[in-house]
Amino acid sequence: MLVDQPPPDYVLSNCQGRKRALLIGINYFDTPNELKGCINDVHNIKDFLTEFYGFQEEDMRILTDDQTDDPFKMPTRANILASMQWLVEDAEENDSFFLHFSGHGGRVKDVSGDEYDGFDETIYPLDFERYDGNSGQIIDDDMHDILVRPLPSGCRLTAIFDSCHSGTALDLPYIYSTQGEVKENNLFKFAGRRILHAGFALITGDRENAKTFIQELPQQLKDASSIAEENRRINSSKADVVMFSGCKDHQTSADAQEEGQATGAMSYAFTKSLRENPNQSYQELLVSLRDILSSGYSQRPQMSSSHPIDVSLPFIC
């Protein structure tokens, strides 16, 4: 279990200040990785934000890979990073910023030691293959440093990641269950997966590996708990950051077909839920997202934040 630590001295945003949005949709046209619904997701989110939350198109930066006539509007690695910096620059208390990403997500080996499962979560820019190895991907550590760390007290960033392996895409340390409770970094589920691995090894006759899995488990749990404590210490924020992601870190997010249109399953669920009932609490919204996707998808949307939140408060952005 995590050692109790005092929460950060945060301030909630009333979201009545400046509003700014960065919307990124990548279909990866004419590649083996092509998706169908990501650009549609951006247009749907843009309409949703202007209709329900007072965002203006002139205060949005939209990166999609169908804007081939303007190289600065293509979702390249450089453009995404520059636009993330634009999104949060000159941030002030009660501002409300919104980030939406619909595209491919991935995982790479963690080299900084801040991931209890050993992997950093990533997003794939359009031009990721132009870089050596995995360096074309944008990792969660860098997104946290660009988007979360510079924000002042009382500034809101709402982030939606509709991509695979996106559960902790911003490395926010408070992850909530549908019961409204902070998860203890899934340590028990982590232990359960290790025990399953041991059981499988035993069934297949690999007694040595089974023994190793069990022997290493106590130390791995201790290490994972230490990492979780450190992440809560360094990644908590005085700002007001809330993220909804399409799935857990080890899951994939679906490129779907809903109501006759190609769409990301998470983007569809988010706009559908709030269009049908704009007056939901954070907990109700998370439950609703899970319910909408439960019938046709295995992914389980996640909600995380930069500070402890009262999940009974109404969702605003």
Side-chain angles (χ1 to χ4, degrees), residues 194-209:
R194 297 295 295 178
I195 292 170
L196 280 175
H197 287 314
F200 181 76
L202 195 60
I203 290 170
T204 56
D206 191 353
R207 301 177 68 88
E208 195 60 37
N209 254 339

Side-chain angles (χ1 to χ4, degrees), residues 171-230:
D171 276 348
L172 302 180
Y174 296 88
I175 304 170
Y176 283 85
S177 71
T178 51
Q179 285 73 45
E181 299 171 347
V182 176
K183 299 180 182 181
E184 296 296 353
N185 214 54
N186 293 319
L187 295 183
F188 293 112
K189 291 184 178 180
F190 172 76
R193 285 199 295 271
R194 297 295 295 178
I195 292 170
L196 280 175
H197 287 314
F200 181 76
L202 195 60
I203 290 170
T204 56
D206 191 353
R207 301 177 68 88
E208 195 60 37
N209 254 339
K211 182 180 178 182
T212 300
F213 278 128
I214 296 300
Q215 287 177 336
E216 291 179 350
L217 182 58
Q219 185 60 46
Q220 288 172 338
L221 280 173
K222 182 179 178 182
D223 292 344
S225 181
S226 297
I227 290 170
E229 290 173 21
E230 180 67 5

Side-chain angles (χ1 to χ4, degrees), residues 101-144:
F101 175 81
S102 181
H104 280 302
R107 308 178 86 190
V108 297
K109 189 72 174 177
D110 169 42
V111 296
S112 63
D114 66 339
E115 300 281 354
Y116 81 96
D117 61 356
F119 291 94
D120 281 318
E121 286 64 52
T122 71
I123 59 172
Y124 282 83
L126 177 63
D127 59 345
F128 71 93
E129 290 183 319
R130 295 185 180 181
Y131 294 79
D132 292 336
N134 295 321
S135 63
Q137 300 175 51
I138 301 175
I139 66 172
D140 49 9
D141 299 43
D142 293 340
M143 289 190 284
H144 183 96

Side-chain angles (χ1 to χ4, degrees), residues 13 15 29 34 37 48 67 89 126-127 129 143 154 162 166 168 174 182 218 224 226 243 256 267 280 288 294 296:
S13 174
C15 297
F29 292 114
E34 185 168 350
F48 169 76
Q67 300 184 90
E89 68 183 4
L126 177 63
D127 59 345
E129 290 183 319
M143 289 190 284
D162 195 348
S166 55
T168 59
Y174 296 88
V182 176
S226 297
M243 180 181 78
S267 299
Q280 299 186 65
S288 175
S294 63

Side-chain angles (χ1 to χ4, degrees), residues 156-303:
R156 162 58 71 88
L157 170 66
T158 307
I160 308 295
F161 280 85
D162 195 348
S163 51
C164 296
H165 311 296
S166 55
T168 59
L170 282 184
D171 276 348
L172 302 180
Y174 296 88
I175 304 170
Y176 283 85
S177 71
T178 51
Q179 285 73 45
E181 299 171 347
V182 176
K183 299 180 182 181
E184 296 296 353
N185 214 54
N186 293 319
L187 295 183
F188 293 112
K189 291 184 178 180
F190 172 76
R193 285 199 295 271
R194 297 295 295 178
I195 292 170
L196 280 175
H197 287 314
F200 181 76
L202 195 60
I203 290 170
T204 56
D206 191 353
R207 301 177 68 88
E208 195 60 37
N209 254 339
K211 182 180 178 182
T212 300
F213 278 128
I214 296 300
Q215 287 177 336
E216 291 179 350
L217 182 58
Q219 185 60 46
Q220 288 172 338
L221 280 173
K222 182 179 178 182
D223 292 344
S225 181
S226 297
I227 290 170
E229 290 173 21
E230 180 67 5
N231 285 346
R232 193 164 291 181
R233 186 184 69 81
I234 65 174
N235 288 340
S236 294
S237 171
K238 293 183 178 182
D240 186 18
V241 184
V242 177
M243 180 181 78
F244 290 91
S245 49
C247 60
K248 297 181 178 183
D249 282 343
H250 66 277
Q251 291 182 320
T252 58
S253 287
D255 193 35
Q257 192 80 17
E258 294 287 350
E259 300 179 6
Q261 184 184 60
T263 180
M266 175 61 183
S267 299
Y268 167 79
F270 184 77
T271 55
K272 175 181 172 65
S273 177
L274 287 168
R275 282 184 181 277
E276 292 180 352
N277 181 9
N279 301 310
Q280 299 186 65
S281 69
Y282 290 92
Q283 183 179 358
E284 288 169 338
L285 178 55
L286 178 61
V287 171
S288 175
L289 296 175
R290 294 270 185 96
D291 287 346
I292 291 170
L293 296 183
S294 63
S295 59
Y297 307 94
S298 60
Q299 66 193 77
R300 295 175 65 80
Q302 304 291 297
M303 181 178 75

